[in-house]
Amino acid sequence: MEKSFNTEKSGSFPRFERRWSKLETSSFKLEHVKPKEPDDKQITGSGLERGLKRDHMLDQVDEFIENLASAQDKSISPEIPDFVEPFLKMVDSRILTYEMREASAMFGQNQEEDSLFFEAVTRLSKVVDSLDEFTHDSETTGCFNRAGSILHHAMSLLENEFLALLDIWKRSCNMNILDSKTPKTPMESVFDSNQPETEIEFPYFPPESISVMNRVATAMIFAGYEAECCVAYTSLRLKALDAEFCNQGYENIIMEDFQRMEWAPQEREIENWIHIVTYCTVNLFPVERNLCNSIFEHDSTARRLFGDLATSLTVKLLNFPNALLLIKQYSTEKLFKFLDIHETLSDLISGIGNDLSTKDLISETSLTQHRIGEAAVSIFCELEDSIKSDNGRIPVANGAVHPLTRYTMNYLKYACEYKDTLEQVFQEHNEMEGSTEQEPRNATEDDGESTSTSHFATQLRLVMDLLDANIDMKSKLYKDPSLSYIFLMNNGRYMLQKVKSSTDIHEVTGDDWLRKRSSDLRQYHKNYQIETWSKVLQCMSHEGLQVHGRVSKSILKERFKSFNAMFEEIHKTQCSWMVSDEQLKSELKISISAVVIPAYRSFLGRFSSHLDTGKQQQKYIKYQPEEIEGLIDELFEGTVTSLGRRRHIHLSHGR
């Protein structure tokens, strides 16, 4: 800090500006001060006597300041008392004493001595301020210039010590990260979060250093050197924060390199970026705000300085999501990382705080967050487009759950874990679009209760409706209507179980959707039984068996042959069909057995005696009720079973 009281002043001392043009010849120049040994003998006598005289002199200075402040006519030059010169010499002597000490250790050796010095500097500043208000004669001018020069000398001392104390972090942490940056391989993250932790917690300042910096900053700001103090603080704290960023593995992103990456390395970079931002939000910003508040007593100054520092760091952090947004093609699997970024930016905004000093920063961060939200909406809508465009004409083998159903439902289940964030981004999107079609509406459930449907719930139900329509379309690809119903049951059951198993997605879909889905499944089940087993049951009908009041053996034989053929064909076909949900599979088998076994047992018991015993019965009555039940239990396992081979094995062991 180089200031001269006989040259044009900087903005730190605007109150001197009007005097220097006419006082150049008589002004005291700081450059002419020659180093000399401190001279405390100016106040003679023993230590106690010197202390008493010094206190008396300070009281006189206070009285002089009060007299200057209370003077009515500032056009009359004030008389300079004799005690002013010894006071100025004492302050100058103390400055020289402190200058002889090691930087960052000037204060703290003697608390009483330090307090006296800071109080004296405060008085000196008041003297300069008060004299500046008067018209000067030669005596006043000399005193004013000398006091101003000594004050400037004191401020130079304090600024140097302030810088030295702020620089303590260099000696307190491992600074190899500043000087030896090992180039990273392409596979390494530029946000490497696995850096070794330092033993000393950031920001590395001992309490006594913070206390001294507080006194220094208070004195400089009171003397009109706020700009110099703040510039010194900001410049060194930015270096410290940049070093801490490096310590956490942060490096600036080269956008072109990032955009050329595949999704897997991009995903790792996103995870590490989230780590860095979370570290800032949870650790860096709170401690930096506390440091500002501890050093600077004025809230406005502390808030402004913290805002400047936070802005510098946050602008660097925002480069990453802004680079990500330049990639215009977003596949559906990227949604969740975008939502992670959106939530991380929300935390960052909270960590920055909301006051005038950070208003522009909050606005810029919110804009980036909004753009990330719009990208998330676009990605989610890609899911809708992918369902609409899935027009494959080849049905899934064996009526199993379609891959589209699995993907969509797992996607929605995971998305519902972000339901609050998705609600926010869809609400903002709809507000920006000014859309009335997507506005939440009141949905009336079956019990007549009206429930509010959120923006995201509306979007989710749209996706599920599209999936329903797509699955219904694919069910028509099966030539066998029974397999079509198995396909509908498989997919419907899968969707139902996904909703039931997730509290998040259940909350979004609501109970009315569950009731409707369950009703649909029951109808599919009923349709399957009618389509598959109604003709089998007709074979065991008593009607039409009697001719002229007697059971017709030929008709009876034909009935048994038809039953055997139909059942064997159903068994052969439907053993290969797949029902993956164990509960659904069990329900199907139980319901089939419940209608087939009693009817078959009754038919067999009543009419088997009409067939000749021996080979004739074995030819037409192939299965006992217990065998039928066992064969039904083999259905829907996705395996091919040969009834002929089973029959051969059974007969070889005896019946």
Side-chain angles (χ1 to χ4, degrees):
M1 178 169 59
E2 296 181 359
K3 295 186 180 183
S4 174
F5 279 79
N6 66 336
T7 58
E8 185 178 356
K9 288 293 294 176
S10 70
S12 299
F13 266 128
R15 57 184 177 277
F16 294 135
E17 205 170 84
R18 66 179 182 272
R19 303 205 184 276
W20 302 136
S21 60
K22 60 182 179 181
L23 298 176
E24 290 180 356
T25 57
S26 60
S27 62
F28 179 88
K29 295 183 179 181
L30 181 61
E31 290 83 341
H32 294 168
V33 176
K34 297 180 180 180
K36 61 180 179 178
E37 293 296 323
D39 183 14
D40 280 336
K41 294 181 180 179
Q42 298 164 72
I43 304 177
T44 59
S46 66
L48 178 60
E49 292 174 342
R50 288 199 303 272
L52 292 173
K53 291 181 179 179
R54 183 175 57 202
D55 291 342
H56 178 64
M57 178 181 64
L58 294 177
D59 289 340
Q60 290 178 313
V61 172
D62 288 337
E63 185 178 355
F64 176 56
I65 294 170
E66 291 178 5
N67 291 336
L68 291 175
S70 61
Q72 299 296 320
D73 190 354
K74 305 294 184 181
S75 63
I76 302 175
S77 297
E79 182 179 350
I80 306 301
D82 293 338
F83 56 77
V84 171
E85 180 59 25
F87 168 70
L88 297 178
K89 288 182 178 180
M90 181 196 73
V91 176
D92 197 27
S93 174
R94 297 313 303 160
I95 293 172
L96 296 174
T97 299
Y98 281 117
E99 283 184 330
M100 295 176 65
R101 297 177 182 175
E102 182 183 356
S104 78
M106 292 182 183
F107 303 101
Q109 300 178 17
N110 186 316
Q111 293 294 330
E112 184 179 355
E113 179 185 76
D114 294 344
S115 296
L116 175 64
F117 175 73
F118 282 106
E119 291 172 6
V121 169
T122 299
R123 288 181 173 89
L124 179 60
S125 177
K126 290 179 179 179
V127 168
V128 172
D129 281 342
S130 299
L131 289 176
D132 189 40
E133 298 178 3
F134 288 86
T135 301
H136 290 182
D137 57 17
S138 59
E139 181 185 18
T140 305
T141 298
C143 179
F144 174 73
N145 285 338
R146 175 147 168 74
S149 295
I150 294 174
L151 179 63
H152 178 61
H153 194 182
M155 293 299 106
S156 178
L157 169 81
L158 293 180
E159 184 182 26
N160 290 336
E161 181 66 359
F162 195 55
L163 290 168
L165 288 168
L166 286 170
D167 224 22
I168 284 178
W169 62 272
K170 281 187 179 180
R171 301 188 295 276
S172 302
C173 64
N174 180 11
M175 292 309 299
N176 291 333
I177 53 176
L178 289 180
D179 304 318
S180 57
K181 296 181 180 177
T182 305
K184 296 183 182 293
T185 65
M187 293 303 294
E188 277 188 283
S189 168
V190 296
F191 297 134
D192 186 3
S193 59
N194 297 317
Q195 298 291 326
E197 295 183 0
T198 54
E199 294 182 359
I200 304 175
E201 186 178 354
F202 187 84
Y204 318 118
F205 291 112
E208 54 272 17
S209 296
I210 294 177
S211 176
V212 172
M213 284 190 285
N214 171 264
R215 301 184 76 172
V216 170
T218 301
M220 290 184 70
I221 292 172
F222 184 83
Y225 281 71
E226 180 175 359
E228 287 80 358
C229 181
C230 292
V231 167
Y233 182 84
T234 301
S235 63
L236 282 182
R237 289 314 299 153
L238 279 178
K239 290 180 181 178
L241 292 169
D242 285 342
E244 184 63 13
F245 259 38
C246 291
N247 193 33
Q248 293 296 318
Y250 175 87
E251 290 182 7
N252 286 324
I253 289 291
I254 300 175
M255 293 186 182
E256 292 79 6
D257 292 345
F258 178 77
Q259 292 166 12
R260 285 194 294 266
M261 290 180 184
E262 297 294 331
W263 172 241
Q266 283 183 350
E267 192 172 21
R268 289 195 296 271
E269 295 301 339
I270 291 172
E271 291 170 356
N272 289 313
W273 177 85
I274 289 172
H275 160 77
I276 294 292
V277 178
T278 301
Y279 178 76
C280 284
T281 303
V282 176
N283 299 99
L284 219 57
F285 285 167
V287 298
E288 198 61 35
R289 181 185 282 107
N290 289 338
L291 184 64
C292 286
N293 291 335
S294 298
I295 293 176
F296 298 92
E297 293 184 349
H298 292 88
D299 289 343
S300 58
T301 303
R303 285 197 301 268
R304 176 170 53 81
L305 289 174
F306 172 75
D308 292 343
L309 296 171
T311 298
S312 178
L313 296 185
T314 303
V315 167
K316 291 181 180 180
L317 294 173
L318 293 181
N319 287 337
F320 182 81
N322 286 329
L324 188 62
L325 287 165
L326 294 176
I327 305 173
K328 297 301 182 182
Q329 296 299 322
Y330 307 117
S331 54
T332 52
E333 69 270 14
K334 296 183 180 181
L335 172 67
F336 307 108
K337 286 303 175 186
F338 272 75
L339 295 176
D340 287 337
I341 292 174
H342 190 280
E343 292 178 353
T344 301
L345 289 172
S346 291
D347 295 337
L348 179 61
I349 291 171
S350 299
I352 292 171
N354 189 15
D355 55 54
L356 291 176
S357 63
T358 57
K359 182 179 179 181
D360 292 340
L361 177 60
I362 294 294
S363 177
E364 184 174 354
T365 307
S366 298
L367 177 60
T368 300
Q369 184 189 34
H370 175 74
R371 293 176 64 203
I372 289 290
E374 283 298 297
V377 169
S378 175
I379 294 171
F380 193 89
C381 291
E382 284 290 326
L383 179 63
E384 300 173 18
D385 295 337
S386 67
I387 296 172
K388 293 175 184 177
S389 62
D390 193 321
N391 297 318
R393 307 304 300 174
I394 300 176
V396 176
N398 305 324
V401 177
H402 198 282
L404 179 65
T405 303
R406 292 185 184 276
Y407 179 84
T408 302
M409 292 309 299
N410 285 315
Y411 193 92
L412 294 179
K413 180 180 178 181
Y414 195 18
C416 284
E417 295 181 13
Y418 295 85
K419 61 181 183 297
D420 293 337
T421 303
L422 282 165
E423 172 63 20
Q424 178 184 346
V425 300
F426 274 109
Q427 180 177 351
E428 291 176 356
H429 173 76
N430 293 336
E431 288 174 355
M432 184 182 70
E433 294 292 323
S435 171
T436 57
E437 296 180 3
Q438 297 294 334
E439 283 297 311
R441 61 185 183 276
N442 287 333
T444 303
E445 297 187 359
D446 294 344
D447 58 7
E449 182 181 355
S450 179
T451 59
S452 177
T453 304
S454 69
H455 294 268
F456 173 54
T458 300
Q459 205 70 28
L460 181 138
R461 289 187 175 186
L462 173 61
V463 171
M464 297 184 76
D465 288 344
L466 288 172
L467 179 61
D468 271 335
N470 191 285
I471 293 302
D472 186 66
M473 176 194 71
K474 294 183 187 307
S475 72
K476 294 177 174 58
L477 299 176
Y478 294 97
K479 295 180 181 179
D480 187 336
S482 296
L483 183 54
S484 174
Y485 290 123
I486 291 294
F487 175 75
L488 289 171
M489 278 190 281
N490 270 325
N491 286 270
R493 182 73 170 210
Y494 187 86
M495 295 171 68
L496 182 68
Q497 291 303 104
K498 280 295 178 182
V499 173
K500 283 184 175 180
S501 65
S502 169
T503 303
D504 291 323
I505 194 171
H506 186 186
E507 287 179 358
V508 177
T509 56
D511 292 333
D512 57 335
W513 184 91
L514 288 176
R515 285 193 288 269
K516 182 180 184 303
R517 175 58 54 188
S518 298
S519 176
D520 290 343
L521 285 175
R522 287 192 295 270
Q523 188 61 49
Y524 297 149
H525 190 157
K526 181 179 179 180
N527 293 346
Y528 160 79
Q529 284 195 317
I530 293 172
E531 187 66 38
T532 305
W533 298 101
S534 59
K535 293 179 181 180
V536 175
L537 293 174
Q538 287 175 8
C539 294
M540 295 177 284
S541 173
H542 297 185
E543 295 180 5
L545 282 176
Q546 293 187 357
V547 178
H548 303 302
R550 300 183 63 180
V551 173
S552 172
K553 287 187 178 182
S554 61
I555 297 176
L556 182 61
K557 291 176 183 178
E558 191 61 36
R559 290 284 186 91
F560 274 111
K561 284 175 62 177
S562 296
F563 172 83
N564 293 335
M566 287 184 185
F567 183 81
E568 288 172 0
E569 181 62 28
I570 291 172
H571 182 272
K572 177 184 175 181
T573 303
Q574 298 194 14
C575 277
S576 65
W577 293 359
M578 172 62 69
V579 176
S580 53
D581 184 88
E582 292 298 326
Q583 184 178 349
L584 176 60
K585 185 192 300 183
S586 176
E587 289 172 358
L588 281 168
K589 291 176 180 180
I590 290 171
S591 67
I592 294 168
S593 295
V595 295
V596 174
I597 301 301
Y600 184 72
R601 180 177 282 114
S602 173
F603 187 78
L604 193 62
R606 183 168 180 179
F607 298 108
S608 61
S609 61
H610 292 278
L611 298 175
D612 295 336
T613 57
K615 290 185 178 180
Q616 193 177 70
Q617 280 195 356
Q618 289 182 5
K619 180 179 179 180
Y620 294 104
I621 305 174
K622 289 186 176 182
Y623 309 103
Q624 293 299 310
E626 293 76 13
E627 289 181 290
I628 295 293
E629 188 171 9
L631 293 171
I632 289 173
D633 197 49
E634 294 176 354
L635 301 179
F636 316 123
E637 297 292 345
T639 59
V640 178
T641 303
S642 172
L643 269 178
R645 185 172 182 275
R646 286 177 55 84
R647 181 72 174 167
H648 173 74
I649 294 173
H650 182 73
L651 291 175
S652 68
H653 286 80
R655 200 159 198 179

